[in-house]
Amino acid sequence: MTGANTIAAALERHATTVTRLSSQISSLYSSRLPYRIFHGSTNSTRPPTQKGNTKFVDISSLNNVLSVDKNTKTALVEPNVPMDKLVEATLPHGLVPPVVMEFPGITAGGGFAGTAGESSSFRHGFFDDTVREVEMVLGDGSVVKVRNPDIAQAEAKAKGVTGQVEKGDLFRGAAGAVGTLGTTTLLEVQLMEAKKYVKTEYKRASSVAEAIRMVREETQKGDNDYVDGILFSKDHGVVVTGKLVNELPASAPDTQKPQTFSGAWDPWFYLHCQEKTAKARQATDYVPLAEYLFRYDRGGFWVGAAAFQYFSWVPFNRLTRWFLDDFLHTRMMYRALHGSGESARFVVQDIAMPFETSEEFIDYTSSSLGIWPLWLCPLKRRAPPTFHPHTTRPGTSASDQSKQDDMMLNIGVWGWGPDKPAEFVAKNIELEDKVRELGGMKWFYAHTYYQQDKFWEMYGGKGWYDALRKKYHAEHLPTVWDKIHVDADKAGKKQRHWLLAKKPVGGFYGIWKSIRSKDYFLHRRAGWKWKGE
């Protein structure tokens, strides 16, 4: 079968599936029955919130890359395509998505319907900023295609054409709205030229303030393709920059190999950063592109180290990390975290902060939570109305966009919280209040306790969202707040099963659940891993 025939067959299979979904959703709409989407996987740490007789619509079969077009630099991608599969499909064409979520299992649909900003987002924005068009099944079962208004208007302007983009409000509203305005069934993703390596530079910072300043300065340098940072403590930070290159330096010795992070004996990336800057102010590696994109997969940034803290009798060293490597990739860790029930006492929060108040927020997390390391990731700020996190500079009104920064700093706070449910909930609510006080905003994938009136106030009122729900036949569906809210009273009183609450029973049960998934085969067989020249 030729390439054109293969693409045509894939598109026909896709259309058949979408027709079936449309029929099912239309039937539910006729009875005004709410429904939720079953994707087959999740990277959320929120507890499930299924209520009553809520129906599920299964879209797990929409998991294919239908085409990659080298001429237009685009890919047609179904929503359940994970990042590693997308990168494996595009790299043979010399192309790569501008924004690649750093965990291989995060899906394209999740990146659009949720919030996905990574170390290239200071330049390219959120993942949905790189999506040219989405196909969606609306709440009444109708199938629509919606163009990204920013991309469409920029292309029209280049041709001397002006005008509104049809359903542009739906595209912007659906991005980040966790599927509450319709079901995404296909994405056209913009691609860019790929190169072999990322020249990776590690720069030591000696204080929190210095690290924040350095991150901002690096975003202003035109030759940086990637910028992020890690704070190990108040006096040891590392700012990491990446530049796409095709060649190793001519001065490199013949025996020098590119640095990789996917092998069982390779270092975990965050430990590598720490070691590289323990005695030096600056160091450089050349990392194969896909190895760089998924550099945080092993160890899940540093969340994997928490597993060793749980199983405290297991030493945390290179030998044990090698021996247990199958269990220490993000897909397996998500399975274990949910299966063990430990997500109920593990703080997993990404916080978008104004640069001006980031140091104060880090002082708060240090004194109140004692969680280190912290991740720093600069992002383009999206102006409201949007469900993406957006920041408000101190001393300004959120409604006055002329006084807001065009950049913000994401701070990743991931570590153990209080053991007792009531104390865990109280600490999370305290964190939410502090974030709001300092002009920041949380991401939706984690525990969220905001009361409904406070939540809608943060997002500019409910009017704009309700208008979209009415216009696009989604009023019978759960709202964003319905989907992400955790009832503080219930969560504070909830007790885990007595057996799972006993160490190490819950942990072993989580491991058993992850083994049953067989997700470890996905990494063992991954095609993106570096195999040499």
Side-chain angles (χ1 to χ4, degrees):
M1 185 179 289
T2 66
N5 288 339
T6 300
I7 294 172
L11 290 171
E12 184 176 347
R13 287 194 302 272
H14 172 82
T16 299
T17 301
V18 172
T19 298
R20 173 181 59 79
L21 292 171
S22 171
S23 177
Q24 182 183 1
I25 290 172
S26 178
S27 176
L28 292 168
Y29 180 72
S30 64
S31 302
R32 296 302 190 272
L33 290 175
Y35 61 87
R36 296 192 180 222
I37 300 301
F38 175 71
H39 304 277
S41 65
T42 181
N43 283 277
S44 170
T45 59
R46 293 190 307 272
T49 55
Q50 183 179 358
K51 298 178 181 179
N53 62 346
T54 302
K55 304 296 182 182
F56 278 86
V57 174
D58 186 349
I59 68 167
S60 58
S61 64
L62 293 175
N63 58 3
N64 297 293
V65 178
L66 303 186
S67 69
V68 177
D69 190 320
K70 191 170 183 178
N71 294 322
T72 61
K73 294 183 179 178
T74 58
L76 287 178
V77 184
E78 291 181 324
N80 293 312
V81 170
M83 285 298 102
D84 52 0
K85 190 173 180 180
L86 178 56
V87 168
E88 288 174 0
T90 63
L91 278 184
H93 299 273
L95 300 169
V96 69
V99 177
V100 176
M101 288 74 95
E102 275 128 344
F103 291 174
I106 298 177
T107 62
F112 178 79
T115 293
E118 309 302 341
S119 60
S120 61
S121 290
F122 77 97
R123 186 172 303 285
H124 300 290
F126 294 108
F127 177 76
D128 59 273
D129 288 311
T130 70
V131 175
R132 296 179 58 85
E133 182 179 88
V134 293
E135 175 189 78
M136 296 177 64
V137 181
L138 300 183
D140 65 349
S142 56
V143 181
V144 298
K145 291 187 176 181
V146 189
R147 297 187 68 195
N148 183 325
D150 292 341
I151 293 177
Q153 288 170 355
E155 292 177 345
K157 184 178 180 180
K159 298 176 182 178
V161 179
T162 59
Q164 294 294 314
V165 177
E166 186 179 3
K167 297 184 178 68
D169 57 345
L170 176 59
F171 185 99
R172 278 294 170 227
V178 291
T180 60
L181 292 175
T183 304
T184 302
T185 52
L186 188 67
L187 305 93
E188 182 184 17
V189 179
Q190 186 67 58
L191 305 174
M192 68 178 193
E193 179 184 352
K195 295 186 179 180
K196 278 187 178 181
Y197 307 105
V198 177
K199 180 184 178 183
T200 307
E201 296 181 282
Y202 314 90
K203 299 174 183 178
R204 171 82 183 246
S206 298
S207 69
V208 173
E210 183 183 19
I212 293 169
R213 176 183 57 78
M214 288 170 63
V215 167
R216 187 61 190 261
E217 289 174 352
E218 293 296 342
T219 66
Q220 296 166 351
K221 297 179 181 178
D223 59 345
N224 280 332
D225 296 297
Y226 305 97
V227 176
D228 70 330
I230 302 171
L231 281 171
F232 295 98
S233 65
K234 286 190 174 185
D235 59 6
H236 185 183
V238 181
V239 176
V240 184
T241 61
K243 301 178 179 69
L244 290 163
V245 297
N246 271 323
E247 303 293 338
L248 296 174
S251 59
D254 293 339
T255 56
Q256 179 176 323
K257 295 181 179 180
Q259 177 63 56
T260 59
F261 299 103
S262 63
W265 194 249
D266 287 339
W268 286 6
F269 182 73
Y270 91 96
L271 294 173
H272 184 70
C273 292
Q274 188 175 35
E275 181 182 352
K276 281 277 188 177
T277 56
K279 297 180 179 179
R281 295 291 300 179
Q282 187 166 337
T284 302
D285 281 327
Y286 286 79
V287 183
L289 176 55
E291 295 275 343
Y292 185 88
L293 296 176
F294 301 128
R295 64 198 181 281
Y296 287 114
D297 178 44
R298 292 176 59 249
F301 284 88
W302 37 86
V303 173
F308 286 86
Q309 294 167 5
Y310 178 92
F311 295 104
S312 56
W313 66 90
V314 180
F316 182 65
N317 57 45
R318 192 172 186 181
L319 181 62
T320 55
R321 293 193 293 273
W322 165 79
F323 183 73
L324 297 169
D325 186 67
D326 274 343
F327 305 102
L328 295 169
H329 297 266
T330 48
R331 281 184 171 103
M332 292 289 283
M333 286 194 293
Y334 271 114
R335 301 276 190 184
L337 187 64
H338 284 290
S340 67
E342 291 300 324
S343 62
R345 65 185 191 97
F346 201 80
V347 177
V348 183
Q349 300 282 0
D350 276 276
I351 315 292
M353 295 298 301
F355 273 84
E356 294 93 330
T357 58
S358 292
E359 183 179 8
E360 185 176 349
F361 176 72
I362 290 168
D363 285 341
Y364 160 77
T365 62
S366 174
S367 61
S368 180
L369 297 170
I371 291 176
W372 299 96
L374 301 172
W375 190 46
L376 307 179
C377 184
L379 307 165
K380 277 187 178 180
R381 178 185 180 275
R382 173 80 56 78
T386 178
F387 285 115
H388 286 320
H390 48 280
T391 53
T392 303
R393 299 176 90 166
T396 69
S397 168
S399 61
D400 189 349
Q401 295 306 304
S402 65
K403 295 182 179 178
Q404 304 308 324
D405 198 344
D406 61 350
M407 296 286 290
M408 55 189 184
L409 184 64
N410 181 73
I411 301 173
V413 184
W414 314 311
W416 292 113
D419 286 344
K420 295 180 179 179
E423 293 178 8
F424 180 85
V425 170
K427 190 60 69 174
N428 273 271
I429 292 174
E430 178 188 291
L431 181 144
E432 290 180 345
D433 291 341
K434 177 58 69 172
V435 168
R436 195 172 185 216
E437 174 192 327
L438 296 177
M441 196 171 281
K442 289 171 47 170
W443 298 39
F444 282 164
Y445 70 83
H447 295 246
T448 303
Y449 300 92
Y450 295 113
Q451 292 301 307
Q452 192 161 186
D453 56 344
K454 184 183 291 187
F455 175 83
W456 291 116
E457 180 185 337
M458 290 169 55
Y459 290 93
K462 199 165 177 271
W464 68 274
Y465 176 60
D466 280 344
L468 287 175
R469 282 166 60 79
K470 183 176 182 179
K471 182 178 180 179
Y472 295 111
H473 316 293
E475 291 179 292
H476 63 298
L477 301 180
T479 67
V480 171
W481 186 83
D482 291 332
K483 292 191 72 171
I484 70 168
H485 177 68
V486 177
D487 187 299
D489 290 334
K490 291 182 179 178
K493 297 173 184 176
K494 187 176 181 180
Q495 298 296 321
R496 294 166 59 196
H497 189 283
W498 67 270
L499 187 58
L500 293 182
K502 289 184 176 295
K503 290 185 180 182
V505 177
F508 279 124
Y509 182 71
I511 291 172
W512 176 73
K513 294 278 283 188
S514 67
I515 292 172
R516 286 189 65 196
S517 74
K518 298 184 179 179
D519 279 351
Y520 52 89
F521 283 121
L522 296 175
H523 182 78
R524 287 186 186 180
R525 299 166 179 169
W528 58 265
K529 294 192 289 186
W530 178 250
K531 300 174 180 63
E533 296 288 355

